Amino acid sequence: QTLVDALHKEVGDSNVKLGTQVLSLACNCDELSASDGWSIFVDSKDASSKELAKNQSFDAVIMTAPLSNVQRMRFTKGGAPFVLDFLPKVDYLPLSLMVTAFKKEDVKRPLEGFGVLIPFKEQQKHGLKTLGTLFSSMMFPDRAPNDQYLFTTFIGGSHNRDLAGAPTAILKQFVTSDLTKLLGVVGQPTFVKHIHWRNAFPLYGHDYDSALEAIGKMESDLPGFFYAGNNKDGLAVGNVIASGSNTADLVISYLESGIKQVS
């Protein structure tokens, strides 16, 4: 969140439009020329967002939305519909995140490293329900009082889809049970926060290549259109940051090439 807040501050409030749904995107080009810019049409409660869409064109578009959202948008190219019927249906996995805190004296085993990941075979073998836990207060300062540990535990994924949508009270029991087995935790957490994502991340697998090919087709067929984020370049925070940085470089190169052509 600190990183996102810093980026928001750097870009400026006037250039960030939150709570704004993109309805359609128009690539102002033809088959023979590069893009003369993009027009974006939105639905927003923010009047300034609507005015921005009416009065301003954009040199390029970086898309980070899930493909399921993109499929609901209307694209045009040179005034003609650009049909997205080649976009495959992507399976998105649900995920619940449970943040819990325990007194240090109630965690009987030493916290070595920054967390634990639990392969599905280990879940089956030891009767565990969670995907893994990050030792959040060991990774970053000021995440918990000095006498407590803060944990971030993940539940759901491909093998436990239904479990991801369970009530907080049920997930609290599973998390406490797993942390007891893994870390020797005793008693109940002093703090609990539950966040649920119905479509948390795409299911990468043997058939996800078709999704990547479709993304590549959009990028090649729509001048000035670029895709970034966890739908293309991986799920980890490091992957997503690298994706954004690399895509920014591609956009800069694209814009510079357009300037050279004009001059």
Side-chain angles (χ1 to χ4, degrees), residues 115-255:
V116 56
L117 295 177
I118 308 171
F120 181 59
K121 288 184 178 180
E122 295 295 319
Q123 293 179 28
Q124 292 178 305
K125 181 178 180 181
H126 300 288
L128 301 170
K129 300 292 187 182
T130 59
L131 298 171
T133 294
L134 298 176
F135 306 157
S136 300
S137 55
M138 301 291 287
M139 300 170 67
F140 305 104
D142 306 320
R143 290 300 187 267
N146 291 332
D147 63 340
Q148 298 184 48
Y149 289 127
L150 187 71
F151 301 108
T152 303
T153 302
F154 303 91
I155 308 102
S158 58
H159 296 292
N160 289 311
R161 293 172 183 258
D162 293 338
L163 191 57
T168 301
I170 299 298
L171 294 180
K172 174 186 170 184
Q173 294 177 11
F174 287 137
V175 169
T176 303
S177 173
D178 280 15
L179 292 181
T180 297
K181 295 174 182 177
L182 294 166
L183 304 175
V185 166
V186 297
Q188 294 297 311
T190 61
F191 172 84
V192 175
K193 182 175 182 179
H194 175 205
I195 303 169
H196 174 243
W197 289 282
R198 183 177 291 110
N199 298 309
F201 53 89
L203 176 60
Y204 285 113
H206 67 280
D207 58 347
Y208 198 74
D209 285 347
S210 61
L212 296 177
E213 291 171 1
I215 289 173
K217 177 175 173 58
M218 293 187 73
E219 291 179 318
S220 63
D221 290 356
L222 296 170
F225 181 88
F226 301 85
Y227 216 108
N230 67 6
N231 285 267
K232 179 182 177 184
D233 296 316
L235 301 176
V237 173
N239 292 89
V240 175
I241 292 175
S243 176
S245 179
N246 293 336
T247 303
D249 288 338
L250 291 173
V251 172
I252 291 171
S253 296
Y254 167 78
L255 297 178

Side-chain angles (χ1 to χ4, degrees), residues 11 32 52-53 61 69 82 86 91 97 118 123 126 150 175 216 234:
V11 173
L32 300 177
L52 179 70
V61 170
N69 290 29
F82 183 81
F86 57 88
D91 191 13
L97 183 149
I118 308 171
Q123 293 179 28
H126 300 288
L150 187 71
V175 169

